Amino acid sequence: MAKTALSTIHSRLDERYLFNFRVSPETLASRIPVSWLRPRIVNGWGVVSFCILKLERVRLGPMPAPLGVSTTSCAYRCGVMDVSGPSPEPSVYIAGRSTDLPLGSILGPALLGKMQKVRTDISRTQDHVDVRASYTDGKSLFSARAKPLTKRLDSKLFGSQGELIDFIKGGASSYSPSSRAGHYSRVDLEEDSTYEVIDAEIDYSGIDAAWQDAGLVFDSAIRATGGRYDLTYLGRLPARLQPAGAVPA
């Protein structure tokens, strides 16, 4: 699908937090529902991240920026390699996005795939930031405390801040279940944010309950601030698509 004025959601990033968990590639592969997305291996591990981001001036296509709205959205993201094309490329698989904007949960699926309404909060104390997301019934989805990193990055996934930033920026495309059954929506991200590695403590991660016995281990966290944050819908791929180069059975 060609890019059009009405297929791009424009916004300005206030701040974004990503909390990264490592998991065995085999376990991650078992949670990815299509054959043309495969785990992106980092130092022998698969990577699952919880992402929460606050956006300002969110608007569709040619709408003027002053008419945009603010929203805090979140999602669990799986690092993958997209093998649907002529050469593999880094991407992200998202089982479903969530937003605190009621209208977003109604209109968002047309471009971004399945989306549900949640409650979100990013609040500051004197020495840390509390990050929380919960379902509308009050059940927790995710909660953590984040603060500046005052020691060397301690990660089994990434050897340096640069490696972590490169990994996040490398996943500029994403796929999530489409509103059309049996299909997955592709959305590409264009941004120019500033990143910094941070320290974090996880209080609750809802994916542990959904992925029982997966063995997810918290590894690292990063924060992004400022800059353009544009999401462009590029159409759908069928779940049964054969990976490029595969021989049909």
Side-chain angles (χ1 to χ4, degrees), residues 54-92:
K54 183 178 181 182
L55 300 175
E56 300 175 339
R57 298 186 177 184
V58 182
R59 73 269 184 201
L60 182 63
M63 286 180 58
L67 297 182
V69 299
S70 298
T71 180
T72 301
S73 304
C74 60
Y76 280 101
R77 303 157 36 98
C78 302
V80 297
M81 295 299 294
D82 177 5
V83 296
S84 64
S87 59
E89 62 177 30
S91 188
V92 174

Side-chain angles (χ1 to χ4, degrees), residues 8-109:
T8 297
I9 298 173
H10 301 282
S11 64
R12 187 79 179 170
L13 179 67
D14 181 7
E15 60 181 339
R16 178 189 188 197
Y17 292 87
L18 291 114
F19 303 89
N20 306 306
F21 299 81
R22 59 182 185 268
V23 65
S24 75
E26 296 78 15
T27 298
L28 182 55
S30 71
R31 265 69 176 186
I32 298 172
V34 295
S35 61
W36 42 271
L37 294 178
R38 297 171 182 170
R40 182 179 175 188
I41 309 303
V42 180
N43 287 330
W45 296 93
V47 185
V48 178
S49 307
F50 179 80
C51 173
I52 184 168
L53 68 163
K54 183 178 181 182
L55 300 175
E56 300 175 339
R57 298 186 177 184
V58 182
R59 73 269 184 201
L60 182 63
M63 286 180 58
L67 297 182
V69 299
S70 298
T71 180
T72 301
S73 304
C74 60
Y76 280 101
R77 303 157 36 98
C78 302
V80 297
M81 295 299 294
D82 177 5
V83 296
S84 64
S87 59
E89 62 177 30
S91 188
V92 174
Y93 170 67
I94 300 174
R97 292 179 168 90
S98 302
T99 177
D100 66 352
L101 191 66
L103 187 61
S105 63
I106 297 173
L107 300 180

Side-chain angles (χ1 to χ4, degrees), residues 170-188:
S173 68
S174 65
Y175 290 92
S176 59
S178 170
S179 54
R180 180 180 176 184
H183 288 73
Y184 290 80
S185 297
R186 172 165 176 163
V187 175
D188 278 15

Side-chain angles (χ1 to χ4, degrees), residues 110-183:
L111 295 181
L112 302 180
K114 292 183 179 180
M115 185 174 290
Q116 64 178 331
K117 174 75 167 57
V118 293
R119 299 169 181 168
T120 56
D121 180 57
I122 300 175
S123 57
R124 285 170 170 74
T125 68
Q126 187 172 356
D127 61 354
H128 69 273
V129 176
D130 286 314
V131 175
R132 299 186 185 91
S134 62
Y135 298 102
T136 53
D137 63 2
K139 183 180 178 181
S140 180
L141 171 60
F142 186 86
S143 63
R145 287 165 287 169
K147 58 185 178 181
L149 187 66
T150 58
K151 56 185 178 180
R152 186 177 181 275
L153 175 65
D154 182 16
S155 166
K156 290 187 177 180
L157 292 171
F158 310 104
S160 67
Q161 174 171 302
E163 288 184 11
L164 175 46
I165 293 174
D166 288 345
F167 174 82
I168 298 300
K169 288 190 172 184
S173 68
S174 65
Y175 290 92
S176 59
S178 170
S179 54
R180 180 180 176 184
H183 288 73

Side-chain angles (χ1 to χ4, degrees), residues 207-239:
I207 200 171
D208 287 332
W211 290 17
Q212 293 185 13
D213 302 323
L216 288 160
V217 178
F218 174 64
D219 182 88
S220 53
I222 193 168
R223 176 178 181 255
T225 54
R228 174 174 56 96
Y229 199 91
D230 295 344
L231 295 168
T232 300
Y233 170 68
L234 292 180
R236 306 183 184 98
L237 288 181

